Amino acid sequence: MIRGILSITGKPGLYKLLSRGKNALIVENIATKKRTPTYPHEKVISLADITMYTDHGDEPLPEIFEKIYAYTEGKAIDVKGFADDTAIREYFAQILPDYDRDRVYTTDIRKLFSWYNQLVAAGITEFKENGIAQDEAAEAAEAADEAAVK
């Protein structure tokens, strides 16, 4: 379900891919529902394409979101409620015990929790794909990169 959900560098929040034009992608902020174009010079990445380092390789973000959702029973995480970096890391270790503590920074965990909270607030609780589907967000990002090169 999160294949069409994008993170855009320099823009706050998460965006849903609506369509692609010749020189831009049309996206909608999942919180405000405001539509806006993104251009080839902006870095766009689908959440489904992001992974996190673990001791046994990389763990895809959709699977981590599923684990967080199960652990929190579908509730949002109070990111500001953690006393310090150690507390947030200990909490994350309960969800994903084998995350690579050397290569995963606290800021990465905070961003992950922030994205999770935004998805849950927007009513997106199905994180994995339910079958064979094309990755339109990745294709759109590649098309935007190719347009930037030309």
Side-chain angles (χ1 to χ4, degrees):
M1 178 69 184
I2 66 169
R3 285 216 177 270
I5 306 298
L6 308 172
S7 172
I8 303 170
T9 302
K11 290 187 178 184
L14 295 174
Y15 295 84
K16 182 178 184 180
L17 176 65
L18 297 178
S19 69
R20 355 178 204 181
K22 185 175 181 179
N23 292 324
L25 302 174
I26 306 301
V27 296
E28 179 180 78
N29 186 303
I30 65 170
T32 64
K33 304 296 184 202
K34 182 179 177 187
R35 294 179 180 192
T36 183
T38 62
Y39 299 101
H41 67 276
E42 296 174 299
K43 184 175 179 179
V44 177
I45 188 161
S46 170
L47 293 188
D49 294 336
I50 298 174
T51 60
M52 186 167 274
Y53 297 117
T54 65
D55 294 333
H56 308 299
D58 293 344
E59 180 97 12
L61 210 58
E63 291 180 21
I64 296 172
F65 283 144
E66 288 284 334
K67 290 177 182 179
I68 295 171
Y69 188 77
Y71 185 81
T72 63
E73 299 174 348
K75 297 177 184 155
I77 299 170
D78 182 17
V79 179
K80 294 181 181 179
F82 293 105
D84 58 6
D85 290 353
T86 305
I88 198 168
R89 286 180 162 278
E90 288 174 4
Y91 183 80
F92 187 60
Q94 294 173 8
I95 298 167
L96 190 66
D98 66 338
Y99 83 94
D100 190 332
R101 284 151 177 81
D102 294 329
R103 297 195 296 175
V104 175
Y105 300 109
T106 306
T107 54
D108 299 332
I109 298 170
R110 287 185 188 278
K111 179 164 281 213
L112 174 75
F113 288 164
S114 172
W115 284 347
Y116 169 78
N117 288 341
Q118 290 175 48
L119 291 169
V120 169
I124 301 170
T125 58
E126 206 172 295
F127 305 108
K128 292 183 183 178
E129 290 297 323
N130 290 359
I132 301 172
Q134 286 188 342
D135 189 359
E136 290 185 24
E139 290 175 8
E142 288 176 19
D145 288 342
E146 289 174 10
V149 173
K150 293 180 182 178

